[in-house]
């Protein structure tokens, strides 16, 4: 049998992602599909050094690590359920920074602390002895690397609304979108915009999705992908600005460089 | 005891002894108890503000047509569901109840809600209410792992068939020589509520486009059971088509006689231009993949199997070793002696036609015989 190499990177042309550019600026560069070796992969999480990706299997079950330079996939635990992430040292941990009230610590620096309580979806910013609720009924909250802004979502996934607020509570942006991920420049973020299944009005699942980028300096939203056959979800940005995402239809994993006008990549 | 105290005791006893139906809570969190499931919603509500158990009970009533036998603290719902015989599990399903056990995340009483849609990463959309506000019913999206107490499924639909793709061999774009044999494996997880058994007519079936000479159906091993949450490896012997090109064929789970279900998966291969010297060496399978033009060759193998038609009758079946089971294959079965004669004739014919150019046309249905 002469099979394709099971090793790693299958270079895709931009023709696969037919409109991976808008206007004259190509925003996705060197788009590659990582050979998942037959696995259905979701939820990419970059290692601190940007050379590995932590992923889950179908239904969030299983834990895998992809070594990007070789394409090797390590199956850590095919039966794993729950939360896992990289710690600062590049090890995988199953524990999250939690506070006494059960909320999750999202950001802490210079006396400012941002926490998220999953139960009621309560996003809280604390400064010294003062606390205020930034948002309620939120999910998918993520803080900009410099701690200046928080992005979060509300509503069901297919019709989710993306919101960005400054740490003082000022609303910066609100529009359709989900699963935001900040770029290292603190002013841009990548998010997905799912397409709801048309089943007579109830948002029962999604039939597709594409990736977009929001520039909070200009409040301009730009499309990164336009692929009816690929459901791009869960964008993840590495510390150096590389983008990873998965196709929820097939479980395929993609990695790209972001070619950003104005720098930041 | 004073008269006032006696009156209080009597009132309390009256409330306690009042039938639950008479203690209906007709409104909570902006929702009205208008669904019909045999009794009124008797769950407590925080005034009219909301309560997670009132909403979950309400949705089970509306969606399942079922009055849950309990409305206790949320954190005990998983135990009550089990003790009352309700199916439970760790995978979110559309139209199920999620349970979050008491914790820092979900309060000291736990939390329940209604699953609207489940997603491939284990997350799910839900509708929920809260005791103590915020008041009303909320559309939420919950991450995988939030439901620490698992999920409660509709007991009146215990046989919810579903299958989720987990892994495969022979990745898309794998190259083969014309007529080359290979075995494709799909690992599928039982993501439904029903158990897959051979006696229950759960099988793996071709589901369109290129057939690759694969059996129409592949059965589970006798006696095997794939319980909800478990995975099963489906190994399907196949043969690359005889003409160069890119080919794709689809496969799916089938509850035979009920319907196909779960993820529809595929095999996609590239058949190269030049056949290798040893192409067609596996006469039995290769002949099966051969063309209509090689009638003499196919006759032996096809007749040795069953000449069945998916559209017109029961399809041919093999078990996972490729052996024909024939439990529903009753058409055109030759005698053993006839089969042997035809097989010998087929082998001879294949030997003489190994280098013959083949067309892509082939019999629509046949069974691989090892």
């Amino acid at each position: 049998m002469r099979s394709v190499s099971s090793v790693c990177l299958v270079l895709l042309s931009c023709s696969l992602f037919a409109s991976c550019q808008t206007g004259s600026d190509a925003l996705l560069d060197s788009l590659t599909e990582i050979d998942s070796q037959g696995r259905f992969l979701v939820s990419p999480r970059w290692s601190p050094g940007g050379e590995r990706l932590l992923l889950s299997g179908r239904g969030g079950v299983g834990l895998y690590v992809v070594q990007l330079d070789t394409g090797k996939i390590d199956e850590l635990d095919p039966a794993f359920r729950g939360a896992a992430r990289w710690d600062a040292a590049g090890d995988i941990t199953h524990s999250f920074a939690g506070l006494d009230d059960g909320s999750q610590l999202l950001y802490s620096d210079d006396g400012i602390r941002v926490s998220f309580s999953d139960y009621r979806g309560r996003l809280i910013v604390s400064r010294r002895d003062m606390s205020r609720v930034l948002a309620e009924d939120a999910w998918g909250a993520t803080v900009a690397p410099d701690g200046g802004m928080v992005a979060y979502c509300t509503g069901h996934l297919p019709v989710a609304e993306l919101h960005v607020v400054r740490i003082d509570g000022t609303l910066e942006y609100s529009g359709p979108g989900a699963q935001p991920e900040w770029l290292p420049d603190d002013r841009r973020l990548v998010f997905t915009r799912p397409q709801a299944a048309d089943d007579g009005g109830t948002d029962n699942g999604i039939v597709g999705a594409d990736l977009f980028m929001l520039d909070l300096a200009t409040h301009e939203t730009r499309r990164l992908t336009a692929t009816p056959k690929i459901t791009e979800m869960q964008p993840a940005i590495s510390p150096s600005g590389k983008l990873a995402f998965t196709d929820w239809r097939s479980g395929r994993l993609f990695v790209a460089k972001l070619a950003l006008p104005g720098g930041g990549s | 005891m004073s008269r006032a105290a006696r009156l209080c005791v009597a009132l309390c006893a009256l409330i306690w002894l009042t039938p639950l139906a008479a203690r209906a809570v007709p409104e909570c969190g902006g929702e009205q108890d208008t669904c019909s499931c045999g009794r009124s919603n008797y769950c407590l509500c925080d005034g009219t503000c909301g309560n997670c158990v009132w909403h979950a009970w309400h949705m089970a009533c509306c969606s399942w047509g079922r009055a849950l036998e309990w409305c206790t603290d949320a954190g005990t719902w998983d135990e009550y569901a089990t003790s009352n015989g309700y199916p439970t599990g760790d995978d979110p399903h559309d139209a199920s109840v999620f349970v979050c056990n008491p914790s820092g995340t979900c309060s000291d009483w736990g939390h329940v809600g209604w699953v609207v849609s489940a997603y491939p990463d284990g997350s799910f959309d839900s509708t929920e209410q809260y005791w103590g506000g915020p008041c009303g019913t909320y559309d939420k999206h919950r991450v995988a792992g939030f439901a620490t107490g698992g999920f409660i499924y509709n007991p009146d639909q215990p046989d919810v068939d579903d299958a989720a793709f987990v892994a495969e061999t022979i990745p898309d774009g794998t190259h083969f020589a014309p007529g080359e044999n290979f075995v494709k494996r799909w690992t599928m997880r039982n993501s439904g509520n029903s158990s897959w058994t051979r006696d229950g007519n759960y099988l793996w079936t071709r589901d369109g486009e290129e057939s690759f000479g694969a059996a129409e159906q592949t059965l589970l091993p006798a006696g095997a059971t794939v319980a909800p949450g478990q995975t099963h490896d489906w190994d399907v012997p196949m043969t690359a088509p005889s003409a160069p090109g890119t080919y794709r064929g689809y496969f799916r789970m089938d509850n035979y006689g009920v319907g196909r279900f779960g993820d529809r998966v595929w095999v996609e291969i590239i058949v190269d231009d030049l056949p290798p010297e040893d192409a067609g060496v596996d006469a039995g399978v290769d002949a099966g993949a051969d063309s209509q033009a090689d009638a003499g060759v196919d006759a032996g193998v096809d007749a040795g199997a069953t000449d069945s038609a998916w559209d017109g009758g029961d399809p041919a079946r093999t078990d996972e070793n490729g052996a024909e089971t024939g439990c529903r294959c009753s058409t055109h079965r030759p005698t053993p002696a006839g089969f042997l004669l035809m097989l010998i004739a087929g082998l001879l014919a294949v030997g003489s036609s190994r280098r013959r150019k083949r067309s892509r046309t082939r019999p629509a249905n046949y069974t691989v015989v090892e």
Side-chain angles (χ1 to χ4, degrees):
Chain A
M1 178 192 303
R2 287 168 289 146
S3 66
V4 290
S5 167
S6 61
V7 177
C8 72
L9 309 179
V10 181
L11 186 63
L12 298 178
S13 69
C14 245
S15 60
L16 175 59
F17 290 77
S19 297
C20 62
Q21 58 183 41
T22 56
S24 59
D25 299 320
L27 294 179
L28 287 190
D29 191 14
S30 303
L31 182 65
T32 57
E33 178 182 353
I34 309 299
D35 184 356
S36 62
Q37 297 165 21
R39 295 180 178 88
F40 191 107
L41 298 175
V42 291
S43 308
R45 287 144 281 180
W46 286 97
S47 64
E51 75 286 355
R52 290 178 291 168
L53 279 166
L54 177 65
L55 295 122
S56 300
R58 178 85 186 222
V61 181
L63 209 54
Y64 308 89
V65 170
V66 177
Q67 190 78 35
L68 289 172
D69 57 352
T70 63
K72 183 171 178 285
I73 299 181
D74 290 323
E75 187 177 82
L76 302 185
D77 182 356
F80 178 84
R81 288 178 184 269
R85 66 175 176 87
W86 299 98
D87 65 16
D91 296 322
I92 294 166
T93 177
H94 301 165
S95 64
F96 287 79
L99 302 176
D100 291 342
D101 61 358
S103 60
Q104 184 183 344
L105 184 62
L106 299 182
Y107 180 85
S108 179
D109 193 31
D110 199 23
I112 296 176
R113 196 174 70 180
V114 181
S115 61
F116 178 67
S117 169
D118 208 3
Y119 174 39
R120 287 187 164 89
R122 198 167 279 167
L123 194 56
I124 299 169
V125 58
S126 306
R127 191 177 311 196
R128 298 179 190 89
D129 294 331
M130 301 285 286
S131 290
R132 66 176 293 179
V133 176
L134 276 182
E136 203 146 31
D137 196 31
W139 56 271
T142 175
V143 184
D146 68 354
M149 287 187 275
V150 185
Y152 64 92
C153 308
T154 56
H156 285 166
L157 182 58
V159 292
E161 287 286 313
L162 170 65
H163 312 274
V164 182
V165 293
R166 292 198 168 276
I167 212 75
D168 63 5
T170 308
L171 180 66
E172 276 288 325
Y173 175 84
S174 191
Q179 299 174 339
E181 275 280 303
W182 288 95
L183 267 65
D185 65 8
D186 301 313
R187 71 179 176 91
R188 286 180 282 207
L189 50 83
V190 174
F191 63 95
T192 185
R193 194 171 277 175
Q195 181 185 349
D198 182 13
D199 63 349
T202 59
D203 50 303
N204 205 7
I206 58 178
V207 294
D210 281 303
L211 296 179
F212 292 79
M213 179 184 291
L214 169 64
D215 188 336
L216 289 157
T218 62
H219 289 85
E220 181 187 16
T221 298
R222 304 180 66 185
R223 177 185 286 272
L224 298 180
T225 65
T227 51
K229 294 185 177 178
I230 297 179
T231 302
E232 293 96 339
M233 297 294 288
Q234 298 179 300
I237 306 290
S238 78
S240 62
K242 283 187 291 186
L243 169 69
F245 60 91
T246 54
D247 173 16
W248 272 15
R249 190 171 296 180
S250 65
R252 295 154 73 194
L253 170 64
F254 298 90
V255 173
K257 289 179 183 172
L258 287 166
L260 299 174
S265 66
Chain B
M1 186 180 290
S2 69
R3 184 176 176 187
R6 284 199 300 270
L7 184 61
C8 182
V9 169
L11 276 173
C12 289
L14 184 64
I15 290 170
W16 181 253
L17 294 171
T18 301
L20 288 175
R23 286 194 267 144
V25 180
E27 179 189 356
C28 193
E31 294 183 306
Q32 306 291 324
D33 181 21
T34 53
C35 296
S36 176
C37 57
R39 74 181 299 178
S40 299
N41 192 331
Y42 59 92
C43 302
L44 295 177
C45 186
D46 181 13
T48 57
C49 177
N51 189 4
C52 63
V53 293
W54 192 97
H55 176 69
W57 197 99
H58 173 68
M59 293 306 296
C61 174
C62 296
S63 176
W64 299 349
R66 181 109 182 183
L68 298 182
E69 291 83 351
W70 68 93
C71 198
T72 50
D73 283 346
T76 63
W77 274 44
D78 51 345
E79 297 166 10
Y80 276 91
T82 302
S83 62
N84 280 280
Y86 284 71
T88 59
D90 293 325
D91 295 318
H93 290 173
D94 294 359
S96 63
V97 173
F98 78 79
V99 181
C100 182
N101 285 326
S103 63
T105 302
C106 285
S107 85
D108 293 340
W109 297 274
H111 187 51
V112 292
W114 182 256
V115 178
V116 176
S117 299
Y119 296 107
D121 66 337
S123 67
F124 56 91
D125 286 335
S126 61
T127 54
E128 303 170 27
Q129 291 183 6
Y130 304 95
W131 181 276
C135 299
T137 303
Y138 286 82
D139 290 346
K140 305 286 292 185
H141 181 74
R142 295 297 192 182
V143 297
F146 178 78
T148 51
F151 299 86
I152 304 168
Y153 310 124
N154 183 357
D156 295 325
Q157 289 183 332
D159 294 331
V160 176
D161 295 328
D162 206 356
F165 167 72
V166 175
E168 65 182 349
T169 60
I170 317 288
D172 288 357
T174 300
H175 289 249
F176 287 99
E180 190 172 353
N181 301 318
F182 61 97
V183 176
K184 171 93 178 182
R185 166 177 287 186
W186 286 277
T187 302
M188 303 296 293
R189 186 158 57 89
N190 183 348
S191 53
N193 293 335
S194 54
S195 290
W196 303 346
T197 62
R198 181 192 283 214
D199 290 344
N201 287 322
Y202 287 90
L203 50 86
W204 188 242
T205 186
R206 291 199 329 239
D207 198 44
E209 294 195 23
E210 184 64 38
S211 69
F212 297 102
E216 189 85 50
Q217 300 179 335
T218 304
L219 301 186
L220 286 164
T225 297
V226 183
Q230 291 183 335
T231 61
H232 182 72
D233 296 332
W234 293 103
D235 292 328
V236 182
M238 301 186 186
T239 303
S242 55
T246 300
Y247 298 88
R248 175 183 281 211
Y250 290 88
F251 287 76
R252 205 173 183 197
M253 280 297 301
D254 188 7
N255 183 355
Y256 188 78
V258 177
R260 302 180 185 198
F261 64 90
D263 288 344
R264 188 179 186 231
V265 299
W266 62 85
V267 51
E268 184 174 295
I269 65 166
I270 297 170
V271 178
D272 292 330
D273 201 5
L274 294 174
E277 286 301 305
D278 60 349
V281 106
D282 186 342
V285 176
D286 190 42
D290 216 329
S291 68
Q292 293 275 17
D294 296 333
V297 177
D298 288 338
V301 175
D302 285 347
T306 52
D307 181 11
S308 59
W310 172 247
D311 295 331
D314 292 336
R317 296 177 169 195
T318 64
D319 65 16
E320 290 193 281
N321 297 319
E324 184 190 342
T325 62
C327 58
R328 290 194 178 187
C329 303
S330 58
T331 56
H332 307 296
R333 187 179 301 280
T335 62
F339 171 80
L340 275 175
L341 284 172
M342 285 185 284
L343 184 60
I344 291 167
L347 290 171
L348 290 172
V350 167
S352 66
S353 62
R354 282 175 59 177
R355 298 285 180 267
R356 194 161 57 203
K357 183 175 173 62
R358 293 158 178 156
S359 87
R360 286 195 56 208
T361 312
R362 67 185 56 77
N365 297 285
Y366 57 91
T367 302
V368 175
V369 178
E370 289 191 335

